[in-house]
Amino acid sequence: MRSVEEHQHVVAAMITARAATTAPLAAAQGLVLAADVVAPMSLPVFDNSAMDGYAVRAEDTADATPQHPVVLPVAEDIPAGRTDQLTLQPATAHRIMTGAPVPAGATGIVPVENTDGGLHSVTIQQSAPPGKHIRRAGEDVAAGTTVLRRGQVVTPAVLGLAAALGLAELPVIPRQRVLVISTGSELVTPGTPLQPGQIYESNSVMLAGAVREAGAEVIAVATAEDDVTQFGSILDRHAADADLIITSGGVSAGAYEVVKDAFGPDGVQGGEGVEFVKVAMQPGMPQGVGRVAGTTIVTLPGNPVSALVSFEVFIRPALRTAMGLPDPYRPHRPAVLAESLTSPRGKRQFRRAILDAETGSVVSYGPPASHHLRWLASANGLLDIPEDVVEVQAGTELQVWDLT
Ligand code: AMP
Ligand code: MG
C-alpha cells in the first residue's frame, strides 16, 4: 500500500501550473499575480483638494479670524472633473470641490465650514496653512514604483489600486480548469423521482463546490452510468478543455467498476497510463491517477465521505499549489482529544471532528464509515490519526485539519 504522503506527491506532480496570462480585473480576483506590477502613472494623478472649500494663496488668508475675516472675490468654480487648467490670481479665491484640481498658484484650501460659502465673494474666518488639505500628485504612488509583487493574491484592494492606475488587466496564474464526473448506474439527479434501488447523486455538486472553494474553475460536471462507452463519450467531449479530470466511483474491487474498466486493457482509453493504487488511509483507500488524452485524471472512490476527504488530502493542496495560492494545506492545529478512540492498524485515519478552538480540545464526530455524510456536513475539522496508532487515549494531543 502507498502512504498518504507518497500519493500526495504523485498527485501534486501531475497537477502543474498553467502558463501565466493577463486577465481582466474582475476575472483576476482571487488569483495570484504572475509578475510584479509597476505603476504606469502617479497617484494622485494631479494636486487636488481634500476638502470642499476655497483654493487660495495661503498668505492672503494669514490674518483671517472669526472677528476679523478676510473677504476675497471668487473668480472660478472648480467642480471635480473640470479639465481646463486654471491659475489663481493673488488676492482671489476659487471655489473648489473635493477631488478637483488645485489651480496653479494656490497654496492652501479653506474648508467651506470656515467661510460663509459665498459664490461671488467669500468671507474667510480662519487662515489656510500652506499645503493644508492639498493632496499632492504622487504622494500615494510615484510613477515607476513597483506597487504589487509577483505571488500576491489579487484582493479587492489590489483590484482598486490597479484600476486607479488605469490598468484594465493584471498578469496572473490562471485558474486550473476542472472536469468533474460522477459514475454509477444507481445515481439520479436531485429533483427527479427515485426508483427502488436508486440514490441521489451527491458527489458532483460536492466536488465541484470543493474545486471552486479551492480557487479553481469547474468547466463541466457530468454523471456517467457504469458504462464504459458513456463514460468515454463524456471524456471525449470535455477532457481536452480541462487541466484536471476528477472522477468519483468505479474504482474499487467489484464488478462494473467503470473507471477502472475504461482505462484497463479493454477500455475505451486503451490503458493510457492511469495507475490504480491502494493508499493506506481511511476513508479513501482506492485511488487512481494518470493521464487521459494529455489531461491529468484523479479517480476518487465513490463513497461521498471518501470522495471529499480524498479531495481534501490529495487534490486541494495540489490545485492551490499549481495556482500559486498561499496556504495550499488546511491549517493543521494540535488539539487534545477529549475521548478515547480506536483506529485501524496500518492506515492513516481521517475522522470527522469538532474542534473547540478556544479550549484546544477535539472530539470525533460521527462514525468512521465513509457513507455518513451528515457528520461531515457539520464537522469543522478532520482528526488526523497516524498510521501506526491503534488506540488513542483521552488527553492525547493529535493534529486536526481546520476546515473552517
Ligand atoms: P463505488 O466506488 O462506485 O463502488 O461507490 C461506492 C458507494 O458510493 C456506493 O454506495 C455508491 O452508490 C456510492 N456513490 C458513488 N458515487 C456516488 C455519487 N456520485 N453520489 C452518491 N453516492 C455515490
Ligand atoms: Mg459505482
Side-chain angles (χ1 to χ4, degrees):
M1 265 202 246
R2 183 180 276 180
S3 73
V4 168
E5 288 84 352
E6 269 177 85
H7 196 61
Q8 280 176 323
H9 287 130
V10 173
V11 171
M14 301 280 285
I15 299 179
T16 49
R18 296 181 56 198
T21 184
T22 53
L25 293 190
Q29 184 173 356
L31 298 178
V32 165
L33 291 176
D36 292 353
V37 175
V38 174
M41 62 193 289
S42 295
L43 291 179
V45 186
F46 49 82
D47 289 3
N48 69 90
S49 179
M51 298 292 279
D52 295 326
Y54 294 84
V56 294
R57 293 197 324 170
E59 63 263 41
D60 291 343
T61 69
D63 302 328
T65 62
Q67 291 73 38
H68 302 284
V70 169
V71 178
L72 296 175
V74 177
E76 290 284 352
D77 193 29
I78 319 176
R82 189 164 169 180
T83 55
D84 53 340
Q85 314 230 301
L86 299 171
T87 301
L88 180 84
Q89 301 304 324
T92 69
H94 289 178
R95 194 165 80 125
I96 191 165
M97 300 303 145
T98 304
V102 174
T107 56
I109 305 290
V110 185
V112 67
E113 292 82 356
N114 299 341
T115 73
D116 66 350
L119 297 182
H120 303 291
S121 75
V122 60
T123 303
I124 296 170
Q125 285 139 359
Q126 217 175 79
S127 65
K132 192 90 194 272
H133 304 312
I134 296 177
R135 307 192 286 211
R136 293 291 175 198
E139 73 178 24
D140 185 6
V141 175
T145 309
T146 299
V147 284
L148 296 167
R149 291 284 175 193
R150 180 172 171 230
Q152 221 176 314
V153 176
V154 178
T155 60
V158 167
L159 294 176
L161 173 61
L165 290 168
L167 302 171
E169 299 180 324
L170 283 170
V172 290
I173 303 171
R175 284 181 211 289
Q176 292 280 309
R177 295 165 304 188
V178 183
L179 165 63
V180 177
I181 309 176
S182 289
T183 68
S185 296
E186 73 280 28
L187 305 175
V188 173
T189 306
T192 52
L194 283 183
Q195 304 291 326
Q198 295 182 325
I199 62 168
Y200 285 122
E201 197 280 299
S202 56
N203 286 350
S204 69
V205 73
M206 178 174 72
L207 291 170
V211 165
R212 289 190 204 97
E213 198 263 350
E217 176 188 348
V218 177
I219 57 149
V221 169
T223 301
E225 289 178 29
D226 292 317
D227 176 286
V228 166
T229 311
Q230 205 187 87
F231 179 65
S233 73
I234 292 172
L235 292 177
D236 289 344
R237 203 169 326 137
H238 298 295
D241 300 329
D243 303 305
L244 172 67
I245 303 161
I246 301 174
T247 65
S248 66
V251 293
S252 24
Y256 314 108
E257 303 289 5
V258 65
V259 176
K260 259 189 176 170
D261 293 346
F263 303 113
D266 306 323
V268 285
Q269 303 296 327
E272 236 204 282
V274 179
E275 176 194 24
F276 295 99
V277 293
K278 286 185 175 168
V279 176
M281 69 187 275
Q282 189 201 61
M285 185 179 68
Q287 298 287 339
V289 60
R291 272 193 216 283
V292 178
T295 301
T296 297
I297 184 166
V298 177
T299 69
L300 305 179
N303 269 306
V305 175
S306 310
L308 193 59
V309 170
S310 304
F311 180 92
E312 279 292 331
V313 174
F314 302 115
I315 300 180
R316 186 180 187 276
L319 280 176
R320 291 184 66 84
T321 300
M323 290 185 288
L325 290 167
D327 310 317
Y329 286 92
R330 298 278 189 187
H332 292 24
R333 311 195 183 290
V336 176
L337 190 62
E339 63 188 335
S340 296
L341 284 178
T342 58
S343 179
R345 186 181 302 279
K347 281 189 185 170
R348 184 156 160 196
Q349 192 182 36
F350 294 95
R351 295 283 295 257
R352 278 61 72 202
I354 300 285
L355 171 69
D356 183 337
E358 242 156 60
T359 62
S361 76
V362 66
V363 285
S364 70
Y365 189 55
S370 50
H371 58 287
H372 291 284
L373 200 48
R374 166 188 158 192
W375 309 92
L376 185 55
S378 301
N380 66 0
L382 286 177
L383 195 50
D384 185 348
I385 307 176
E387 264 183 46
D388 52 356
V389 172
V390 276
E391 265 179 66
V392 208
Q393 300 306 321
T396 308
E397 190 175 275
L398 286 172
Q399 290 294 315
V400 181
W401 295 25
D402 188 343
L403 300 179
T404 54

